[in-house]
C-alpha cells in the first residue's frame, strides 16, 4: 500500500495573530510545521509527503525550499505546492499533486505539531473494504449544554455522543477524491475531510486520539505546545487521560 501524507500548512494563522503564519514560527527549536513533517519522515507507514503552503510562502526564511526539498533531511517530500483560499481548497491542491500509485492519503494539519507516530499506525489499521476513512477523536469529559444566543442553557447534551476530532485523518484515495468532487459540486466547504466522506455516504471510523495532539490555534495553545514538547518524556505518556 502506498501512503501519501498531505501536510496542510497553507493557512494564515489569523487567530494566533502576528505577521508570520503560525506554522512557520519557531516552536521548541524548529519551525512548527517541521515537527509533524519529521514524524512523517520517521514513520515506516508513510511513503511520501505533499506539503501545502500559502501563496508567496516560498520567500519566507522558515520555508527554505531548498532545505524542505533537501534529499537528506526530507527525502519523502514529493512536492511543495501552493494551497487554496480555504482548508478544503488546500486539500484539493494536495490531492491534485499526489505521487502516482498513492492508495491511501493521510491529511494532517501542520498546526498539530504534537502528532506521534503510533497514531498513524492505528489509523491505517482501520482501513479495509468496509471502512473508507479513519479519524482520531477524543471523548468529552465535561458536561455539555446546548446554549441559546441569549446565553441561557437550552438543553442537556449526552456527551457520550460527542467526540472532538483531530488529524491526521486516513482515507482510501478514491473515496476521498470522489467526496471532494461531490463537496465541490455542491459548493460545500467542509472544515475537515471526514465531513466530506460521511456526507458522500462513506464509512468513517474513529480511533482513540491523543489528548496532547492539540491544534495550535491561539497564543495559549502555542505556549502549551512548547511546554509539552520541552517536557515530553515517553515514561509519563501513554494513559488515555
Ligand atoms: N490550512 C491550509 N489552507 C488554508 C487554511 C488552512 O492549509 N487555506 C491549514 C492550516 O495551515 C492549518 C490547518 O489547515 O495547518 C488547520 O487550520 P487552522 O488551524 O484554522 O489554521 P489557519 O487557517 O491558518 O488559522 P486561522 O483560522 O486562525 O486563520
Ligand atoms: Mg482556519
Amino acid at each position: 500500500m502506498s501512503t501519501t501524507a498531505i501536510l496542510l500548512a497553507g493557512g494564515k494563522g489569523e487567530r494566533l495573530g502576528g505577521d508570520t503564519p503560525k506554522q512557520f514560527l519557531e516552536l521548541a527549536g524548529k519551525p512548527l510545521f517541521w515537527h509533524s513533517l519529521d514524524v512523517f519522515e520517521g514513520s515506516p507507514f508513510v511513503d511520501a509527503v505533499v506539503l501545502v503552503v500559502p501563496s508567496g510562502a516560498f520567500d519566507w526564511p522558515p520555508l527554505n525550499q531548498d532545505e524542505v526539498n533537501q534529499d537528506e533531511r526530507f527525502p519523502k517530500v514529493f512536492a511543495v505546492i501552493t494551497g487554496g483560499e480555504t482548508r478544503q481548497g488546500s486539500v484539493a491542491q494536495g490531492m491534485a499533486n499526489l505521487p502516482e500509485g498513492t492508495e491511501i492519503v493521510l491529511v494532517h494539519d501542520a498546526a498539530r505539531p504534537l502528532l506521534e507516530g503510533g497514531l498513524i499506525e492505528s489509523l491505517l489499521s482501520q482501513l479495509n473494504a468496509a471502512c473508507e476513512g479513519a479519524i482520531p477523536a477524543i471523548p468529552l469529559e465535561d458536561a455539555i449544554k446546548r446554549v441559546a444566543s441569549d446565553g441561557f442553557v437550552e438543553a442537556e447534551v449526552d456527551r457520550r455522543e460527542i467526540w472532538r476530532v483531530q488529524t491526521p485523518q486516513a482515507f482510501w484515495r478514491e473515496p476521498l477524491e470522489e467526496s471532494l468532487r461531490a463537496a465541490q459540486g455542491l459548493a460545500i466547504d467542509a472544515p475537515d475531510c471526514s465531513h466530506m466522506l460521511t456526507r458522500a455516504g462513506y464509512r468513517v471510523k474513529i480511533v482513540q486520539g491523543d489528548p496532547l495532539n492539540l491544534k495550535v490555534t491561539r497564543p495559549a495553545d502555542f505556549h502549551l505546545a512548547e511546554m509539552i514538547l520541552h517536557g515530553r518524556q515517553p515514561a509519563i505518556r501513554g494513559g488515555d487521560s
Side-chain angles (χ1 to χ4, degrees):
M1 287 302 157
S2 183
T3 300
T4 298
I6 297 177
L7 182 57
L8 295 174
K12 296 193 175 85
E14 282 170 350
R15 283 169 290 178
L16 192 82
D19 294 335
T20 304
K22 59 191 180 187
Q23 60 273 28
F24 302 130
L25 296 175
E26 184 166 320
L27 175 76
K30 57 189 179 188
L32 194 147
F33 78 99
W34 282 18
H35 288 273
S36 36
L37 184 52
D38 279 340
V39 172
F40 291 133
E41 285 290 349
S43 170
F45 301 98
V46 175
D47 302 293
V49 177
V50 171
L51 175 62
V52 185
V53 300
S55 62
F58 299 103
D59 299 334
W60 286 326
L63 186 70
N64 177 335
Q65 209 190 353
D66 289 343
E67 184 149 14
V68 170
N69 280 328
Q70 202 182 60
D71 284 353
E72 283 143 51
R73 176 146 173 93
F74 299 115
K76 291 185 186 172
V77 173
F78 170 76
V80 182
I81 55 162
T82 298
E85 273 302 305
T86 65
R87 183 185 186 281
Q88 184 181 304
S90 291
V91 172
Q93 294 298 325
M95 291 299 289
N97 287 279
L98 293 176
E100 213 177 306
T102 297
E103 288 158 289
I104 293 173
V105 180
L106 281 165
V107 182
H108 183 59
D109 293 336
R112 292 187 187 270
L114 298 166
L115 165 67
E116 290 196 291
L119 184 55
I120 297 172
E121 186 177 3
S122 44
L123 288 162
L124 296 180
S125 69
Q126 294 299 323
L127 298 184
N128 55 43
C131 176
E132 287 89 11
I135 61 177
I138 307 278
L140 299 180
E141 274 146 24
D142 299 315
I144 305 296
K145 315 277 174 184
R146 180 167 297 118
V147 179
S149 57
D150 60 5
F152 281 91
V153 172
E154 220 171 39
E156 303 301 314
V157 178
D158 185 349
R159 69 171 172 227
R160 290 168 300 183
E161 294 177 356
I162 313 280
W163 293 70
R164 289 195 295 128
V165 170
Q166 308 178 322
T167 69
Q169 301 191 347
F171 308 100
W172 293 115
R173 175 188 185 157
E174 281 164 23
L176 177 56
E177 269 168 354
E178 199 189 307
S179 314
L180 180 62
R181 272 197 301 275
Q184 288 167 331
L186 293 167
I188 288 163
D189 189 30
D192 81 326
C193 295
S194 65
H195 180 124
M196 299 189 288
L197 270 90
T198 48
R199 208 165 229 292
Y202 289 113
R203 286 142 301 181
V204 175
K205 181 132 192 242
I206 61 149
V207 306
Q208 195 71 36
D210 178 354
L212 297 186
N213 178 25
L214 59 86
K215 183 157 78 70
V216 173
T217 306
R218 299 180 190 278
D221 307 315
F222 189 91
H223 297 305
L224 193 55
E226 196 150 52
M227 278 162 52
I228 295 168
L229 283 164
H230 280 139
R232 196 168 242 184
Q233 287 173 28
I236 59 166
R237 313 265 343 279
D240 280 341
S241 104

